[in-house]
Amino acid sequence: SSSSSSSSSPPSSFSVLICGIGGSGVVTSAAVMGQAAHAQGHHAHVLDQIGLSQKNGSVVSVVKMFKGNENLDKNTFSCARPSQVDLVISMDIVTTLLPQNLECIGNKTQIVCNLNQTMPGAFAWDRDLHFPMEEMLKTLEGRVRKDQIHLCDMNKLCETIVGDGVFANMLCLGFCFQKGLLPVDSQALVDVIEQGVDVDRNKLSFQLGRLAAHDMKLLDDFSRREGDTDRFVADMAYEDIVEDRCARLLKYQDDKLANKYREAVTEVRRTEESLQRHVETAQHEDADVKSGKISITMAKNYYKLLAIKDEFEVARLLLDGSLEREISRKIAGDYKMNFHLAPPALNWLRRSTEKVAVPAWLAIPVFRLLRSMSSWRNTLLDPFRFSTDRKMNIKLLEQFQEDVKLVQRVLLSAQQHPNLPLAYRLCVELLEIPNMIRGYGHVREEGATKAEERRLELLKRIETLMATVSK
């Protein structure tokens, strides 16, 4: 492995604040650091604050390493949390940004931040909760210089290469060491790791962390070859979204559906580009119009309505090989597999929406049959065409297509409208309506009811706004 500039001896006092949640290995990381320091003949104090960690609550550990005589200076060798620490290890950025933890970050503090996103408990009752990673990173940048913040998606690397994100804490230790941020010898850390469990994978993760600090691009390229190559749609440009969704629709059904999608989004794109040229000529400034927000919203949500995850699609996804690859990465040896299902027809017979465990030997042949029937989707041969979900999906798609026509009319008229930004934002909100509808069965029905109420409200506002144009 590559060499490191890390010192094997701590300064007179060196403090580390490790922030995470239950299960992220905070306490283990602190213990490894402390034992490694002791093994080198130095003093170390570790203070763990675990709270409700078993419920994904915040966990914070403070590690203080020092040289000298512990009996001579009680303040230096106190295990109390220092006012400013030398290193912050952020295994969970939400925990790191708690006020009592932010206070420990001084202008010389180095920060190692895991980019893994774990939604807080509020997500349980707010499904639209946004994880503001960029905003939170800016908060850290407000405390220290940008070159003092070291970023790495440690969970993703461990899941892809090691097979389990639980080893991210050891990867983080290797990362910190290789960056020269830990005043502990690497061999001392490895010796402590070897005293624990699952030694091989913990040691591998530690070395991966060192490699990530030395050459992150190499590991990124390897991860893309070995792991999931899907990208979050929020990170994609309009053209990338369209190409990605066309490829997915081709797998979902056929090229006819993919072409239908491409033609529709391209038509809206042309209309919006016309509006963008008008805005440039008139020298109006509007960030949403400039970014092409309507085209992007259309590309995302039209696909969502065309590629409903129905019975055929569920079967295709379960048989595409990704499930087997995921299981083989995490489970060794023989295993038995059950699928927990709640198909509408079975729910109607049982008068219950609870899922039923179906053994793989029975479920997989049924999935294969359904996959072979996907070309029957929305035809007279479709056995699910009369189901409540299917009828609702067809209705939602038809409504969206009508709304797209309205949006195009509004975009053409908005060029002459004095309140163009408002008209534009209302159109974006109208095309966002499908994003309010998720899940299956009664959950989907509830979402559709709320979405329809919001849709009618927006249509009324658009109608009132456009009435002023014709005057």
Side-chain angles (χ1 to χ4, degrees):
S1 62
S2 55
S3 61
S4 170
S5 59
S6 180
S7 168
S8 62
S9 178
S12 58
S13 179
F14 188 87
S15 54
V16 184
L17 178 70
I18 312 175
C19 304
I21 58 174
S24 60
V26 171
V27 173
T28 302
S29 297
V32 170
M33 265 189 245
Q35 290 181 46
H38 277 299
Q40 289 184 247
H42 308 302
H43 299 287
H45 283 160
V46 178
L47 176 64
D48 299 319
Q49 298 174 338
I50 58 176
L52 295 174
S53 62
Q54 289 183 340
K55 302 294 185 184
N56 262 18
S58 61
V59 183
V60 177
S61 290
V62 178
V63 183
K64 292 184 71 176
M65 296 173 276
F66 44 81
K67 298 183 293 186
N69 189 336
E70 185 172 1
N71 296 318
L72 295 180
D73 190 345
K74 297 295 184 183
N75 292 324
T76 300
F77 301 132
S78 167
C79 63
R81 178 185 295 208
S83 58
Q84 292 185 1
V85 297
D86 299 290
L87 172 64
V88 169
I89 295 178
S90 174
M91 297 303 295
D92 176 68
I93 192 169
V94 176
T95 302
T96 307
L97 293 184
L98 293 175
Q100 64 270 29
N101 298 328
L102 270 181
E103 289 174 1
C104 296
I105 300 177
N107 56 6
K108 293 184 178 179
T109 302
Q110 295 285 332
I111 302 174
V112 172
C113 184
N114 181 11
L115 294 177
N116 180 59
Q117 300 181 9
T118 302
M119 296 300 288
F123 183 66
W125 58 84
D126 183 5
R127 67 180 185 179
D128 296 317
L129 188 66
H130 170 60
F131 195 99
M133 179 60 81
E134 289 186 10
E135 293 89 333
M136 290 190 286
L137 288 175
K138 285 179 181 177
T139 301
L140 292 180
E141 291 172 8
R143 310 286 297 201
V144 298
R145 298 191 316 272
K146 202 167 185 178
D147 62 352
Q148 292 173 238
I149 302 175
H150 313 273
L151 307 176
C152 178
D153 193 339
M154 300 171 191
N155 287 68
K156 183 178 179 182
L157 279 177
C158 282
E159 288 169 3
T160 304
I161 300 174
V162 184
D164 196 330
V166 75
F167 298 99
N169 61 331
M170 291 299 107
L171 186 147
C172 185
L173 286 182
F175 187 91
C176 293
F177 172 81
Q178 192 65 29
K179 286 286 186 181
L181 305 177
L182 273 185
V184 184
D185 187 73
S186 65
Q187 189 56 50
L189 291 167
V190 171
D191 288 343
V192 176
I193 292 172
E194 288 178 339
Q195 298 172 26
V197 297
D198 212 337
V199 173
D200 290 340
R201 288 203 285 180
N202 274 306
K203 287 173 64 177
L204 172 61
S205 300
F206 179 80
Q207 299 302 340
L208 278 174
R210 296 188 65 184
L211 182 57
H214 177 70
D215 190 348
M216 191 66 221
K217 186 178 182 303
L218 178 65
L219 281 184
D220 278 342
D221 293 342
F222 181 79
S223 296
R224 277 191 287 270
R225 290 197 302 271
E226 296 295 317
D228 187 3
T229 57
D230 284 352
R231 295 167 59 193
F232 288 111
V233 69
D235 302 327
M236 299 167 66
Y238 164 79
E239 293 78 7
D240 295 331
I241 295 174
V242 173
E243 292 304 318
D244 177 80
R245 276 22 186 178
C246 282
R248 290 173 184 262
L249 287 170
L250 197 59
K251 295 178 182 177
Y252 179 81
Q253 189 154 339
D254 53 30
D255 56 353
K256 183 179 178 181
L257 188 64
N259 290 337
K260 176 183 178 181
Y261 168 82
R262 187 186 293 277
E263 289 170 4
V265 296
T266 301
E267 188 177 347
V268 171
R269 183 66 165 177
R270 287 199 203 100
T271 307
E272 185 171 36
E273 285 175 343
S274 173
L275 178 63
Q276 288 173 332
R277 287 192 292 271
H278 168 77
V279 168
E280 288 179 11
T281 304
Q283 295 184 331
H284 293 312
E285 279 294 330
D286 190 280
D288 287 340
V289 175
K290 190 175 181 180
S291 66
K293 201 164 185 178
I294 280 181
S295 298
I296 293 173
T297 305
M298 164 72 174
K300 290 190 294 184
N301 290 313
Y302 190 39
Y303 165 81
K304 183 178 175 127
L305 291 174
L306 286 176
I308 295 294
K309 195 177 286 186
D310 55 16
E311 294 83 356
F312 304 120
E313 179 65 357
V314 169
R316 184 188 72 82
L317 292 172
L318 289 173
L319 295 175
D320 69 356
S322 59
L323 178 61
E324 288 82 355
R325 288 193 297 272
E326 186 72 14
I327 292 173
S328 63
R329 277 169 47 194
K330 296 186 176 182
I331 301 177
D334 296 332
Y335 59 85
K336 291 183 180 180
M337 184 163 58
N338 290 327
F339 293 90
H340 293 261
L341 308 172
L346 187 59
N347 292 344
W348 182 82
L349 290 172
R350 296 184 305 122
R351 303 298 179 187
S352 172
T353 57
E354 291 185 7
K355 293 185 178 181
V356 178
V358 182
W361 63 265
L362 177 60
I364 290 179
V366 175
F367 294 154
R368 287 176 180 152
L369 177 63
L370 286 171
R371 183 178 61 179
S372 68
M373 295 164 57
S374 62
S375 60
W376 295 1
R377 181 185 284 118
N378 295 329
T379 68
L380 293 175
L381 297 175
D382 186 348
F384 308 106
R385 69 185 185 281
F386 296 121
S387 69
T388 304
D389 282 347
R390 186 61 57 83
K391 289 178 181 178
M392 180 173 62
N393 294 336
I394 292 173
K395 179 183 176 183
L396 291 171
L397 178 59
E398 291 174 347
Q399 284 182 344
F400 186 81
Q401 290 170 337
E402 288 300 316
D403 292 344
V404 169
K405 294 177 182 177
L406 172 63
V407 166
Q408 288 184 281
R409 293 197 298 271
V410 172
L411 290 181
L412 290 172
S413 303
Q415 297 181 20
Q416 318 304 325
H417 200 285
N419 202 349
L420 185 151
L422 176 58
Y424 190 92
R425 284 195 295 273
L426 289 174
C427 288
V428 172
E429 286 189 57
L430 185 62
L431 295 183
E432 279 283 12
I433 290 294
N435 206 35
M436 297 176 63
I437 308 165
R438 303 174 194 174
Y440 299 93
H442 67 284
V443 174
R444 190 171 182 80
E445 289 175 11
E446 290 173 7
T449 300
K450 292 179 181 178
E452 179 62 13
E453 292 172 0
R454 179 60 178 157
R455 175 176 175 268
L456 293 175
E457 178 187 335
L458 289 170
L459 289 174
K460 187 175 181 180
R461 290 183 65 186
I462 291 173
E463 182 182 351
T464 302
L465 187 67
M466 297 315 296
T468 62
V469 177
S470 57
K471 290 182 180 180

